[in-house]
Amino acid sequence: MRTFCGAVTEINDLGVVAEYCPHCDGLKCCLLRTVTQGNYFFFAKIADLLRECSCMCTDCLKPFPGKPHWSYAEVVPIRNARGMDLNDLLTKTNPILADRIRFKQKIRELGGDERFAVAWENVEGMRPGWLRSNLLESLLDWSRLGETQRDELYEHVGALSRAWQFARQMAVGFPASSGSLTYFMSVPMFGLILIYMFVSRSWVWGGVALAASVIATTVLESRLFQRSVGRWTLQVLIPEAQAVNVPLDRFVAVVDDIPGSRLGLTEELWRMKDQLENIRETLIAQGTLQPMPTQEGR
């Protein structure tokens, strides 16, 4: 019989995914579920203490730790997963694992070519995006490449991987615009304009003056921030890239591959992406980066 207060565990089935089962040592159809542990008082849950994801293999019926549900491309409802081919389920729910299986097979076919294995690991460490997808497609053609082309692709992947890690490190000290100038200049102007509006009864011109003051201070702070980014590029980015032997064109490529929107994005490199044109222009002016070819020059 349940007491009036104590601990409670809730298990919610989310659906079915294809996952590697450590108990069966193979790819299996697994039930993805969330396990929530909390407390209840007078039969009402009052707090969630722990929430984690778990997988249960449908073959051996043993559970194992799972990835968060958002890390899968899709979670198939249980009723739709019945009778579904395992490879189709893998492609639909877990494409990252599908890529890993394909590349492991590719490594075996290539006789354990170390260059391919290292290049694949480097690409795996990069964020999902257009650049990573193109590199994966290039690696799939490895068996059709000559030795010189393999060496070039291996070096290209290695340079981009180093640039990606370097960009993440540089993002920590990237300048930030706090908006303090706009705030401290707008507040006194706002007060003066309000006084003017009440004294002169000129509400329209007062509103225009207020809007103009906010726009002027915002533009001024934006210009000052761009100058700060330019100094950071000259004094920090260029010397650091030269010190660790990261080509700046690769650095620009990996930053340019980051989505250009804040929506739903916690990417620490977004501020750098937002100022990429400013960084690019500074690098070109210093002769450390070649300008992009124009449409006529292509």
Side-chain angles (χ1 to χ4, degrees):
M1 181 177 178
R2 199 177 195 184
T3 59
F4 288 104
C5 61
V8 62
T9 299
E10 294 183 354
I11 299 177
N12 295 318
D13 293 332
L14 302 177
V16 178
V17 297
E19 190 56 270
Y20 175 82
C21 174
H23 305 293
C24 300
D25 192 23
L27 181 67
K28 298 295 179 179
C29 175
C30 299
L31 182 63
L32 183 66
R33 46 178 46 173
T34 58
V35 180
T36 305
Q37 295 179 356
N39 291 322
Y40 68 92
F41 183 72
F42 279 95
F43 307 104
K45 191 172 63 172
I46 57 175
D48 289 343
L49 297 182
L50 179 64
R51 182 185 296 269
E52 60 183 13
C53 284
S54 172
C55 280
M56 187 187 74
C57 176
T58 57
D59 277 5
C60 66
L61 301 181
K62 293 181 180 179
F64 58 91
K67 298 180 292 187
H69 66 89
W70 47 259
S71 63
Y72 294 98
E74 187 177 341
V75 177
V76 178
I78 297 175
R79 62 179 181 275
N80 297 340
R82 294 194 179 113
M84 193 173 182
D85 183 74
L86 183 58
N87 289 327
D88 294 338
L89 184 66
L90 175 65
T91 303
K92 192 178 187 66
T93 64
N94 204 345
I96 294 179
L97 180 59
D99 286 338
R100 289 175 181 169
I101 293 174
R102 281 195 303 164
F103 279 99
K104 284 182 180 179
Q105 179 64 31
K106 197 73 173 179
I107 291 173
R108 288 194 292 268
E109 293 174 359
L110 294 170
D113 192 323
E114 185 177 353
R115 293 170 300 177
F116 178 86
V118 172
W120 175 69
E121 289 180 2
N122 286 336
V123 174
E124 274 282 285
M126 298 174 64
R127 64 172 300 281
W130 177 83
L131 188 60
R132 182 178 182 272
S133 298
N134 279 357
L135 291 176
L136 288 174
E137 289 297 325
S138 298
L139 287 175
L140 284 175
D141 291 332
W142 185 272
S143 59
R144 292 192 288 268
L145 300 178
E147 287 300 316
T148 302
Q149 293 173 312
R150 291 183 180 185
D151 286 336
E152 291 175 351
L153 180 57
Y154 171 77
E155 293 295 335
H156 179 59
V157 170
L160 285 172
S161 176
R162 293 196 309 273
W164 166 242
Q165 299 300 329
F166 174 72
R168 295 188 63 184
Q169 294 171 4
M170 298 303 294
V172 177
F174 189 75
S177 177
S178 63
S180 58
L181 179 63
T182 302
Y183 175 78
F184 286 113
M185 291 187 67
S186 296
V187 168
M189 287 184 180
F190 181 72
L192 292 174
I193 292 171
L194 280 180
I195 294 174
Y196 167 78
M197 291 168 66
F198 278 108
V199 172
S200 65
R201 303 292 180 179
S202 180
W203 305 106
V204 175
W205 287 109
V208 171
L210 178 62
S213 66
V214 173
I215 293 173
T217 52
T218 302
V219 171
L220 177 59
E221 179 152 18
S222 177
R223 294 290 177 84
L224 292 176
F225 178 55
Q226 289 178 359
R227 291 185 61 182
S228 176
V229 172
R231 287 195 302 269
W232 174 86
T233 303
L234 293 173
Q235 299 173 7
V236 180
L237 176 62
I238 295 176
E240 290 289 341
Q242 293 173 345
V244 296
N245 193 29
V246 170
L248 287 168
D249 60 334
R250 304 300 204 285
F251 167 81
V252 170
V254 297
V255 175
D256 194 30
D257 191 48
I258 298 168
S261 172
R262 293 179 184 270
L263 184 61
L265 189 67
T266 57
E267 181 69 69
E268 69 272 18
L269 295 175
W270 193 91
R271 290 184 294 122
M272 197 178 292
K273 163 75 175 188
D274 188 45
Q275 290 294 316
L276 183 59
E277 287 308 311
N278 187 7
I279 296 172
R280 195 197 307 268
E281 290 174 3
T282 305
L283 294 175
I284 292 175
Q286 292 297 308
T288 55
L289 181 70
Q290 294 296 321
M292 296 180 63
T294 60
Q295 192 71 25
E296 294 179 356
R298 291 179 181 176

Short mmCIF file of all heavy atoms in Angstrom, two decimals, residues 231-259:
data_model
loop_
_atom_site.label_atom_id
_atom_site.label_comp_id
_atom_site.label_asym_id
_atom_site.label_seq_id
_atom_site.Cartn_x
_atom_site.Cartn_y
_atom_site.Cartn_z
N ARG A 231 40.27 44.83 -33.99
CA ARG A 231 41.49 44.77 -33.17
C ARG A 231 41.73 43.34 -32.69
O ARG A 231 42.87 42.88 -32.67
CB ARG A 231 41.37 45.71 -31.97
CG ARG A 231 41.47 47.18 -32.33
CD ARG A 231 41.71 48.03 -31.09
NE ARG A 231 40.64 47.85 -30.10
CZ ARG A 231 39.55 48.60 -30.07
NH1 ARG A 231 39.38 49.56 -30.96
NH2 ARG A 231 38.63 48.39 -29.14
N TRP A 232 40.65 42.64 -32.31
CA TRP A 232 40.80 41.25 -31.86
C TRP A 232 41.34 40.38 -32.99
O TRP A 232 42.19 39.50 -32.76
CB TRP A 232 39.43 40.74 -31.40
CG TRP A 232 39.40 39.28 -31.06
CD1 TRP A 232 39.72 38.72 -29.85
CD2 TRP A 232 39.06 38.20 -31.92
NE1 TRP A 232 39.59 37.36 -29.91
CE2 TRP A 232 39.17 37.01 -31.17
CE3 TRP A 232 38.66 38.12 -33.25
CZ2 TRP A 232 38.91 35.76 -31.72
CZ3 TRP A 232 38.38 36.87 -33.79
CH2 TRP A 232 38.51 35.72 -33.03
N THR A 233 40.88 40.63 -34.21
CA THR A 233 41.36 39.85 -35.36
C THR A 233 42.85 40.06 -35.57
O THR A 233 43.60 39.10 -35.82
CB THR A 233 40.58 40.26 -36.63
OG1 THR A 233 39.18 40.07 -36.41
CG2 THR A 233 41.02 39.43 -37.82
N LEU A 234 43.29 41.31 -35.47
CA LEU A 234 44.71 41.63 -35.69
C LEU A 234 45.60 41.16 -34.55
O LEU A 234 46.68 40.61 -34.79
CB LEU A 234 44.87 43.14 -35.89
CG LEU A 234 44.26 43.76 -37.15
CD1 LEU A 234 44.37 45.28 -37.10
CD2 LEU A 234 44.93 43.20 -38.39
N GLN A 235 45.16 41.39 -33.33
CA GLN A 235 46.02 41.17 -32.18
C GLN A 235 45.92 39.76 -31.58
O GLN A 235 46.84 39.32 -30.89
CB GLN A 235 45.69 42.20 -31.09
CG GLN A 235 45.90 43.64 -31.53
CD GLN A 235 45.41 44.65 -30.51
OE1 GLN A 235 45.00 44.29 -29.39
NE2 GLN A 235 45.43 45.92 -30.87
N VAL A 236 44.81 39.06 -31.85
CA VAL A 236 44.61 37.75 -31.23
C VAL A 236 44.48 36.65 -32.28
O VAL A 236 45.24 35.66 -32.26
CB VAL A 236 43.36 37.75 -30.32
CG1 VAL A 236 43.17 36.38 -29.68
CG2 VAL A 236 43.49 38.82 -29.24
N LEU A 237 43.55 36.80 -33.21
CA LEU A 237 43.25 35.73 -34.14
C LEU A 237 44.44 35.37 -35.02
O LEU A 237 44.84 34.20 -35.10
CB LEU A 237 42.04 36.11 -35.01
CG LEU A 237 41.67 35.10 -36.11
CD1 LEU A 237 41.29 33.76 -35.51
CD2 LEU A 237 40.54 35.64 -36.99
N ILE A 238 45.00 36.36 -35.70
CA ILE A 238 46.09 36.09 -36.64
C ILE A 238 47.31 35.49 -35.93
O ILE A 238 47.83 34.45 -36.37
CB ILE A 238 46.46 37.36 -37.42
CG1 ILE A 238 45.29 37.79 -38.31
CG2 ILE A 238 47.71 37.14 -38.27
CD1 ILE A 238 45.52 39.09 -39.06
N PRO A 239 47.80 36.09 -34.82
CA PRO A 239 48.96 35.48 -34.14
C PRO A 239 48.69 34.07 -33.62
O PRO A 239 49.54 33.19 -33.73
CB PRO A 239 49.25 36.45 -32.99
CG PRO A 239 48.65 37.75 -33.41
CD PRO A 239 47.43 37.37 -34.20
N GLU A 240 47.49 33.85 -33.06
CA GLU A 240 47.17 32.52 -32.51
C GLU A 240 47.08 31.48 -33.62
O GLU A 240 47.54 30.34 -33.47
CB GLU A 240 45.86 32.58 -31.73
CG GLU A 240 45.93 33.35 -30.44
CD GLU A 240 46.72 32.64 -29.36
OE1 GLU A 240 46.91 31.41 -29.48
OE2 GLU A 240 47.16 33.30 -28.41
N ALA A 241 46.48 31.85 -34.76
CA ALA A 241 46.37 30.91 -35.88
C ALA A 241 47.75 30.54 -36.42
O ALA A 241 48.00 29.38 -36.76
CB ALA A 241 45.50 31.52 -36.98
N GLN A 242 48.63 31.51 -36.51
CA GLN A 242 49.99 31.24 -36.97
C GLN A 242 50.75 30.36 -35.98
O GLN A 242 51.54 29.50 -36.38
CB GLN A 242 50.73 32.55 -37.20
CG GLN A 242 50.18 33.37 -38.37
CD GLN A 242 50.81 34.74 -38.49
OE1 GLN A 242 51.47 35.23 -37.55
NE2 GLN A 242 50.61 35.39 -39.62
N ALA A 243 50.49 30.56 -34.69
CA ALA A 243 51.21 29.80 -33.67
C ALA A 243 50.84 28.31 -33.69
O ALA A 243 51.69 27.45 -33.44
CB ALA A 243 50.94 30.38 -32.28
N VAL A 244 49.58 28.01 -33.99
CA VAL A 244 49.13 26.61 -33.98
C VAL A 244 49.00 26.04 -35.39
O VAL A 244 48.48 24.94 -35.57
CB VAL A 244 47.79 26.47 -33.22
CG1 VAL A 244 47.97 26.83 -31.76
CG2 VAL A 244 46.70 27.31 -33.86
N ASN A 245 49.43 26.81 -36.39
CA ASN A 245 49.45 26.36 -37.78
C ASN A 245 48.06 26.00 -38.29
O ASN A 245 47.83 24.94 -38.89
CB ASN A 245 50.40 25.16 -37.94
CG ASN A 245 50.69 24.85 -39.40
OD1 ASN A 245 50.67 25.74 -40.25
ND2 ASN A 245 50.97 23.59 -39.70
N VAL A 246 47.11 26.92 -38.07
CA VAL A 246 45.75 26.75 -38.60
C VAL A 246 45.56 27.73 -39.75
O VAL A 246 45.64 28.94 -39.54
CB VAL A 246 44.69 27.00 -37.51
CG1 VAL A 246 43.29 27.05 -38.12
CG2 VAL A 246 44.75 25.92 -36.45
N PRO A 247 45.34 27.24 -40.97
CA PRO A 247 45.12 28.15 -42.10
C PRO A 247 43.86 28.99 -41.87
O PRO A 247 42.81 28.46 -41.51
CB PRO A 247 44.94 27.21 -43.30
CG PRO A 247 45.56 25.91 -42.86
CD PRO A 247 45.33 25.83 -41.38
N LEU A 248 43.97 30.29 -42.11
CA LEU A 248 42.85 31.19 -41.84
C LEU A 248 41.70 30.98 -42.81
O LEU A 248 40.55 31.27 -42.47
CB LEU A 248 43.34 32.64 -41.87
CG LEU A 248 44.18 33.04 -40.65
CD1 LEU A 248 44.87 34.37 -40.87
CD2 LEU A 248 43.31 33.10 -39.40
N ASP A 249 41.98 30.49 -44.02
CA ASP A 249 40.86 30.22 -44.93
C ASP A 249 40.02 29.05 -44.42
O ASP A 249 38.79 29.03 -44.59
CB ASP A 249 41.38 29.94 -46.34
CG ASP A 249 42.33 28.75 -46.40
OD1 ASP A 249 42.95 28.43 -45.36
OD2 ASP A 249 42.44 28.13 -47.47
N ARG A 250 40.65 28.06 -43.75
CA ARG A 250 39.89 26.97 -43.14
C ARG A 250 39.10 27.47 -41.94
O ARG A 250 37.97 27.03 -41.71
CB ARG A 250 40.83 25.84 -42.70
CG ARG A 250 41.73 25.27 -43.77
CD ARG A 250 40.96 24.67 -44.95
NE ARG A 250 41.70 23.69 -45.67
CZ ARG A 250 42.70 23.91 -46.51
NH1 ARG A 250 43.09 25.16 -46.74
NH2 ARG A 250 43.32 22.93 -47.14
N PHE A 251 39.69 28.37 -41.17
CA PHE A 251 38.98 28.96 -40.04
C PHE A 251 37.72 29.67 -40.50
O PHE A 251 36.63 29.49 -39.93
CB PHE A 251 39.90 29.93 -39.30
CG PHE A 251 39.20 30.82 -38.31
CD1 PHE A 251 38.87 30.36 -37.06
CD2 PHE A 251 38.85 32.12 -38.65
CE1 PHE A 251 38.20 31.18 -36.14
CE2 PHE A 251 38.19 32.94 -37.77
CZ PHE A 251 37.87 32.47 -36.50
N VAL A 252 37.85 30.47 -41.56
CA VAL A 252 36.69 31.18 -42.10
C VAL A 252 35.65 30.19 -42.61
O VAL A 252 34.44 30.39 -42.43
CB VAL A 252 37.13 32.14 -43.22
CG1 VAL A 252 35.94 32.72 -43.96
CG2 VAL A 252 37.98 33.27 -42.64
N ALA A 253 36.09 29.09 -43.22
CA ALA A 253 35.16 28.10 -43.78
C ALA A 253 34.31 27.45 -42.69
O ALA A 253 33.10 27.29 -42.84
CB ALA A 253 35.93 27.04 -44.56
N VAL A 254 34.93 27.05 -41.57
CA VAL A 254 34.16 26.37 -40.52
C VAL A 254 33.22 27.33 -39.79
O VAL A 254 32.11 26.95 -39.41
CB VAL A 254 35.10 25.66 -39.51
CG1 VAL A 254 35.90 24.57 -40.19
CG2 VAL A 254 36.01 26.64 -38.80
N VAL A 255 33.63 28.60 -39.64
CA VAL A 255 32.74 29.57 -39.01
C VAL A 255 31.58 29.91 -39.95
O VAL A 255 30.44 30.07 -39.52
CB VAL A 255 33.52 30.84 -38.61
CG1 VAL A 255 32.57 31.91 -38.05
CG2 VAL A 255 34.58 30.51 -37.57
N ASP A 256 31.88 30.00 -41.23
CA ASP A 256 30.85 30.31 -42.23
C ASP A 256 29.80 29.20 -42.31
O ASP A 256 28.66 29.44 -42.72
CB ASP A 256 31.51 30.53 -43.59
CG ASP A 256 30.57 31.19 -44.59
OD1 ASP A 256 29.69 31.96 -44.15
OD2 ASP A 256 30.69 30.93 -45.79
N ASP A 257 30.16 27.97 -41.92
CA ASP A 257 29.25 26.84 -42.00
C ASP A 257 28.24 26.83 -40.85
O ASP A 257 27.29 26.04 -40.87
CB ASP A 257 30.06 25.53 -41.97
CG ASP A 257 29.22 24.31 -42.31
OD1 ASP A 257 28.48 24.37 -43.31
OD2 ASP A 257 29.29 23.31 -41.58
N ILE A 258 28.41 27.70 -39.87
CA ILE A 258 27.49 27.76 -38.72
C ILE A 258 26.20 28.44 -39.15
O ILE A 258 26.23 29.43 -39.88
CB ILE A 258 28.14 28.55 -37.56
CG1 ILE A 258 29.40 27.82 -37.09
CG2 ILE A 258 27.17 28.74 -36.41
CD1 ILE A 258 30.25 28.63 -36.18
N PRO A 259 25.04 27.94 -38.74
CA PRO A 259 23.77 28.58 -39.10
C PRO A 259 23.77 30.04 -38.67
O PRO A 259 24.24 30.40 -37.59
CB PRO A 259 22.73 27.77 -38.32
CG PRO A 259 23.39 26.45 -38.08
CD PRO A 259 24.85 26.72 -37.94
#
